[in-house]
Amino acid sequence: MKNIPEIPGCINCISNFKSVFKNLSEDEINKLSFDKGCDQYKRGTIIYNEGSRMTGCYCVNDGIIKLYKTGVEGKEQIIRFAKKGDIIGFRSVLSNEAACTSAKVIDDAMLCFIPSVTFFELVENNAKFSMELMQMTCRELGEANSYITDIAQKTVRERLAEILIHLKNDFGLDNEGVLQISLTREELANIVGTATESVIRLLSEFKSDALIDLNGRKIKLLNIPKLIKTGNIYE
Amino acid sequence: MKNIPEIPGCINCISNFKSVFKNLSEDEINKLSFDKGCDQYKRGTIIYNEGSRMTGCYCVNDGIIKLYKTGVEGKEQIIRFAKKGDIIGFRSVLSNEAACTSAKVIDDAMLCFIPSVTFFELVENNAKFSMELMQMTCRELGEANSYITDIAQKTVRERLAEILIHLKNDFGLDNEGVLQISLTREELANIVGTATESVIRLLSEFKSDALIDLNGRKIKLLNIPKLIKTGNIYE
DNA sequence: CGTGTGATTGACGCCTGTCAACGTCTGTGG
DNA sequence: CCACAGACGTTGACAGGCGTCAATCACACG
């Protein structure tokens, strides 16, 4: 018999991650725990595709998911990453539109599936939860706006430096200063919005300038203040 | 004595524009009408600035507002426009952050000011309104994501063609086919994310190619299908 | 009539995308 | 154990899109 992984109760996640669910009542949490599904997904698995109808949303219990859009000629544009405690797909559930991004696992993940009905019930019956959700969306929108400004105005070099800092802030460094997220050069390019070759060349330059050190996909940040300066980051 | 413009009652706006307020009860509408302020603003007036604390949000009764961020070296990046029936600034009110954009009048406007308190009351007490608001935010977020992908992947030429189509969809054409929004070349550049000179050159090219006709700030769309093709627009 | 803002045009060159070739690593199958 | 395929990373050459600078023109306004 297969070794079924232990399904985490919602109560644990909520206390551990300070998620958007933090304002749920005990009853609501229990119902959520009961209604939800939970599964493990290997790197490379696609959770849902742009344009598909969502029947619910997912809460990330562990792992990393990349959310991306497919642009002209199939080139992917990474919009953001989701990690422990984040929820994905709820945007489409709420606005009742087809998914506007695709979601793919890039670090083995454990996801909980929350059916639309359950989600809607919470939104409608718990004003605090609803407010929390809205604030999250608003913050995300604010970030999207900054992203737009950056991509429109900054050079590729600046954007790459900036992304490295953002990745540090979102995923942290290990005790050697290595970014705790592993991306291919192509994925880096698809965040920055440039060609793979450009990323490679610029990373080499950063290395020559002693801003970073490279070891395969491991990127060690050596000089964070200078990276911030290179990225023209002010806030 | 100065001729004070008639303050529009909320009830009229709501029935005319199908705004987010459409689900308010009669009592709520009356309270909103009572609490709100209303003022006229001339082209060029700044409603609020990026980074400022909002004490409420604005509902556009008439005119056009541009929402923009100030990027590196003070260059402005236009995020979106707001017109009749739209509300602006509520994002910052809800998430209780400083305004992430500045708002400037580009077509003489009439705006109603809704104090934070009033707005919060509505959100907390009217689940339908709250849901409507959230859906609006979600749609906006979806658009922002598309925008990111476009800016990151398309050429300036494609983006300019696309923007012209978007402006047509949002503001319409007069009976001669002229875009019903008047923008400087610099503003066009600040939407597309390019230099003013590039916009000028590309507009000239579009004119040579009989895609558009130019007369000062008036842009007449001559060949919309071809513009769509030039912009690589699919949906 | 001077001033200022916006529009236009030309020259110039760098940043960046594209193409092509090659190196590296991993896993698979014979 | 080795050969091979396939994905990923790297490097070089090259062209052209696009930003920058500068000069000039057009037009409105006090």
Side-chain angles (χ1 to χ4, degrees), chain B:
Chain B
M1 195 196 253
K2 202 180 157 194
N3 185 14
I4 293 177
E6 202 177 322
I7 293 185
C10 292
I11 182 71
N12 300 315
C13 279
I14 292 167
S15 44
N16 290 340
F17 313 152
K18 290 209 221 149
S19 76
V20 283
F21 296 113
K22 67 186 174 201
N23 289 312
L24 299 197
S25 70
E26 207 176 312
D27 280 356
E28 287 171 326
I29 294 177
N30 288 335
K31 176 148 188 354
L32 184 58
S33 268
F34 180 79
D35 285 351
K36 79 170 185 203
C38 195
D39 266 309
Q40 285 188 303
Y41 299 84
K42 286 237 158 286
R43 173 176 169 84
T45 312
I46 289 178
I47 310 295
Y48 57 81
N49 262 309
E50 195 175 342
S52 58
R53 282 275 154 203
M54 307 289 291
T55 56
C57 58
Y58 298 84
C59 185
V60 182
N61 177 70
D62 196 24
I64 303 178
I65 315 292
K66 77 171 168 190
L67 299 171
Y68 60 97
K69 283 184 78 74
T70 306
V72 262
E73 323 216 354
K75 187 168 160 62
E76 86 177 29
Q77 176 64 38
I78 297 181
I79 302 294
R80 66 180 184 97
F81 295 101
K83 61 176 194 293
K84 202 178 275 204
D86 293 338
I87 57 177
I88 61 177
F90 82 99
R91 210 198 60 77
S92 306
V93 168
L94 281 181
S95 65
N96 195 29
E97 292 175 333
C100 83
T101 55
S102 304
K104 192 173 188 175
V105 178
I106 63 165
D107 243 38
D108 294 356
M110 167 94 84
L111 302 182
C112 294
F113 177 80
I114 306 169
S116 293
V117 182
T118 307
F119 197 76
F120 265 109
E121 268 177 32
L122 290 175
V123 173
E124 278 171 3
N125 296 324
N126 187 328
K128 278 195 177 171
F129 171 67
S130 165
M131 179 66 86
E132 190 72 31
L133 207 56
M134 187 145 17
Q135 292 185 342
M136 197 182 73
T137 315
C138 285
R139 271 194 301 274
E140 221 177 289
L141 189 53
E143 284 164 22
N145 289 342
S146 300
Y147 203 3
I148 288 172
T149 310
D150 283 345
I151 295 194
Q153 301 194 352
K154 290 186 176 181
T155 64
V156 172
R157 172 189 217 80
E158 291 170 316
R159 265 140 60 200
L160 182 58
E162 182 169 18
I163 290 298
L164 292 179
I165 298 297
H166 282 170
L167 290 177
K168 172 186 80 68
N169 293 339
D170 288 349
F171 296 97
L173 307 174
D174 67 10
N175 45 27
E176 298 215 306
V178 174
L179 272 182
Q180 290 287 59
I181 180 175
S182 170
L183 298 169
T184 66
R185 303 294 193 250
E186 188 179 5
E187 281 169 334
L188 274 172
N190 292 343
I191 308 173
V192 175
T194 185
T196 309
E197 296 92 325
S198 297
V199 166
I200 291 172
R201 276 183 256 264
L202 286 169
L203 283 180
S204 305
E205 282 186 42
F206 286 176
K207 186 176 172 183
S208 312
D209 298 347
L211 297 179
I212 62 173
D213 202 9
L214 293 171
N215 184 359
R217 289 185 197 165
K218 289 184 183 169
I219 301 177
K220 185 192 286 191
L221 305 191
L222 297 177
N223 191 336
I224 293 176
K226 212 166 164 192
L227 267 176
I228 291 178
K229 203 173 164 194
T230 305
N232 262 314
I233 307 171
Y234 293 118
E235 41 220 333

Side-chain angles (χ1 to χ4, degrees), chain A residues 13-226:
Chain A
C13 279
I14 291 167
S15 44
N16 289 340
F17 313 152
K18 290 211 220 148
S19 77
V20 283
F21 297 113
K22 67 185 174 201
N23 289 314
L24 299 196
S25 70
E26 208 176 309
D27 281 356
E28 286 171 327
I29 293 176
N30 288 335
K31 175 148 187 358
L32 184 58
S33 268
F34 180 78
D35 286 351
K36 79 169 185 204
C38 196
D39 265 312
Q40 284 188 304
Y41 299 85
K42 285 237 157 285
R43 172 176 170 85
T45 312
I46 289 179
I47 310 296
Y48 57 81
N49 262 310
E50 195 175 342
S52 59
R53 283 275 154 204
M54 307 289 292
T55 56
C57 57
Y58 298 84
C59 185
V60 182
N61 178 69
D62 197 23
I64 303 179
I65 315 292
K66 76 171 168 190
L67 300 170
Y68 60 97
K69 283 185 79 75
T70 306
V72 262
E73 323 216 355
K75 186 169 161 60
E76 87 178 27
Q77 175 65 38
I78 297 180
I79 302 294
R80 67 181 183 96
F81 296 100
K83 60 176 194 295
K84 199 177 276 204
D86 294 337
I87 56 177
I88 60 177
F90 82 99
R91 211 198 61 77
S92 306
V93 167
L94 280 182
S95 65
N96 195 30
E97 292 174 333
C100 81
T101 56
S102 304
K104 192 172 189 176
V105 178
I106 62 166
D107 242 39
D108 294 356
M110 165 94 84
L111 302 182
C112 294
F113 177 80
I114 306 169
S116 293
V117 183
T118 309
F119 198 75
F120 265 109
E121 269 177 31
L122 289 176
V123 173
E124 278 171 3
N125 297 323
N126 187 328
K128 277 195 179 173
F129 170 66
S130 164
M131 179 67 85
E132 190 71 31
L133 207 56
M134 188 152 5
Q135 292 184 342
M136 198 184 74
T137 315
C138 286
R139 271 194 300 274
E140 220 177 289
L141 188 53
E143 283 164 23
N145 289 342
S146 299
Y147 202 3
I148 289 173
T149 308
D150 283 345
I151 295 193
Q153 301 194 351
K154 290 185 177 181
T155 63
V156 173
R157 171 189 217 81
E158 290 171 316
R159 265 139 60 200
L160 182 58
E162 182 169 18
I163 290 297
L164 292 179
I165 296 297
H166 281 170
L167 290 176
K168 172 187 78 71
N169 294 338
D170 288 350
F171 297 96
L173 308 174
D174 68 8
N175 44 29
E176 298 215 307
V178 174
L179 272 182
Q180 290 286 61
I181 180 175
S182 170
L183 299 169
T184 66
R185 303 294 192 248
E186 189 180 5
E187 282 168 332
L188 273 172
N190 292 344
I191 310 173
V192 175
T194 185
T196 309
E197 295 93 326
S198 297
V199 166
I200 291 171
R201 275 184 256 266
L202 286 169
L203 283 180
S204 305
E205 282 186 40
F206 286 176
K207 186 176 173 183
S208 312
D209 298 348
L211 297 179
I212 61 174
D213 202 9
L214 294 171
N215 185 359
R217 290 186 194 163
K218 289 184 184 170
I219 301 177
K220 186 192 286 192
L221 306 192
L222 297 176
N223 191 337
I224 293 177
K226 212 167 164 190

